Amino acid sequence: MSDILELTAAGALAKIEAGELSGDEVFDAWAEAADGDELHAYLKTTEREGEADGRLGGLPIAVKDIFCTEGVETTAGSRILEGYLPPYTATAVRNLQQAGARVLGKTNMDEFAMGSSNENSGYGPVRNPWDRERVPGGSSGGSAAAVAGGLAPWAIGTDTGGSIRQPAALCGIVGMKPTYGAVSRYGMIAFASSLDQCGPLTRDVTDAALLLQVLEGRDPCDSTSTGIEGGVELPSREDLSGLRFGVPRELSGDGIEPGVRAVFERTVGLVEELGGEVTETALPHAPHGISAYYVIAPAEASANLARYDGVRYGVREEAGDLTAMYERTRAAGFGPEVKRRIMLGTYALSSGYYEAYYGQAQRVRTKIADDFRAAFASFDFVITPTSPTVAFRLGERTDDPLAMYLSDYCTVPMPLAGIPAISIPAGLAAPEGGAGELPVGFQIAGPAYSETRILDAAHALERAIGFDARPQA
Ligand code: GLN
């Protein structure tokens, strides 16, 4: 059984196809591992259901609790949705099930995907398998910790400003945010609809490609979904010759802790050894990404979260009249970060301030997208560290929302521009101030719909990096 847990999803699938393992055996081995969860990566594990057939052979998958699953409690990490049983399943999960994957459990997350550490979960934080006193990143921290901690072979999450890539980096696994529209958002509980995107968290790049092949597609239930024309190919590239990489100075210098910068620079050296051409470039507006994101995302969230009023979903706090019932339900059901975002967003959209905040943020967003367009005229990819720091201590940033928001410095520009990016583990580094070494992620971003090319480049680099460290815990 322990051998099964050593396999990647693609590795397990090969053994199922060769008749050496059955899909049920693989599922049961992972279910047993998931039941031993000491990281609080799961909010709920589920029974084995359905047949072990289809392309994915009955493989189990961990699903972030932001995806609606018919008849299975779905909370998005919020107390306000406690007990909510969705009447339908999200398209992304449905696509996986139709391909023969089976849900292993629903993973813990920051409430409504707002956070970078998982400490905003209404159900208590997730622990990082590399150091249980540290955060796994967020908001898809449960999915990342499950994969890194040997509690799931692979997982899906969502990324609005970095929530797949940053936890993947902090947990030492692969995470990819696809192009906006590549994967349907139908049944994915909305945070910021113009940014939210579903994607894979996996042990290696091949598994990320395999998962994205099944996830992507146009969905008549999501009018913003496009799929990826031509689909996604499994990666095979072993060198980077002929490829041009731009290193934006704004996202790779100041503010990046020394250990992370050292791993980044070493990895840039490997890109060159593999034949890639690396040049410094500029994304002049990228440093304003955080400011624009923290106006746009809360603005959209304030509208999306208006639906939680105690009438239709989850929790209701009874009161003498309707308005008081709304107020009491929302006061009791939402956590402090969600309330902060609703207030920020409502303020930014209010008459008299709309142009000064929301309008201005949208203009910055356009400038950031223009910067990337200009960079991609000269480069195939832009490369940066994924997170300015390695995993931080539980509680370290909870009293300082601005310090928490800076975790997203290198990851928010891509969703603002709608473009895809992957984070792969590049090595280990000690945190500033000392302590044991922790994983560092390397980010590769490309133009819209360049997923196959990004995965191919990441595959070549992954081989050269040869990251094989594992959490001790
Ligand atoms: N950390 C960012 C936030 O708090 C990103 C979250 C996300 O991508 N869902 O909004």
Side-chain angles (χ1 to χ4, degrees), residues 356-386:
Y357 293 103
Y358 185 74
Q360 187 69 1
Q362 291 291 20
R363 281 187 283 277
V364 172
R365 182 176 189 171
T366 302
K367 294 268 184 215
I368 290 173
D370 288 345
D371 283 356
F372 277 113
R373 245 189 304 279
F376 293 135
S378 316
F379 300 103
D380 296 287
F381 306 108
V382 162
I383 50 180
T384 76
T386 308

Side-chain angles (χ1 to χ4, degrees), residues 69-159:
T69 41
E70 189 180 341
V72 177
E73 187 180 1
T74 300
T75 66
S78 183
R79 288 282 173 187
I80 212 165
L81 280 174
E82 202 166 354
Y84 172 57
L85 300 177
Y88 65 97
T89 295
T91 300
V93 178
R94 182 69 76 209
N95 286 349
L96 289 168
Q97 289 172 330
Q98 279 171 355
R102 295 180 288 189
V103 176
L104 181 59
K106 306 294 295 287
T107 57
N108 201 350
M109 54 181 285
D110 285 300
E111 185 175 5
F112 288 109
M114 299 173 186
S116 305
S117 69
N118 238 282
E119 292 163 297
N120 296 336
S121 167
Y123 300 89
V126 179
R127 289 171 184 274
N128 189 315
W130 292 82
D131 178 345
R132 294 186 185 196
E133 296 311 312
R134 288 177 187 267
V135 305
S139 64
S140 311
S143 287
V147 174
L151 308 173
W154 56 0
I156 57 171
T158 60
D159 192 310

Side-chain angles (χ1 to χ4, degrees), residues 398-465:
T398 37
D399 295 333
D400 187 352
L402 290 182
M404 191 71 92
Y405 295 173
L406 280 175
S407 312
D408 307 320
Y409 185 68
C410 299
T411 49
V412 285
M414 295 79 184
L416 285 170
I419 61 173
I422 197 169
S423 176
I424 63 171
L428 298 175
E432 225 165 10
E437 293 197 308
L438 294 158
V440 175
F442 183 87
Q443 179 170 234
I444 309 174
Y449 303 111
S450 66
E451 276 83 349
T452 292
R453 283 189 286 126
I454 292 179
L455 287 158
D456 236 353
H459 177 262
L461 192 55
E462 171 183 62
R463 284 171 49 101
I465 294 168

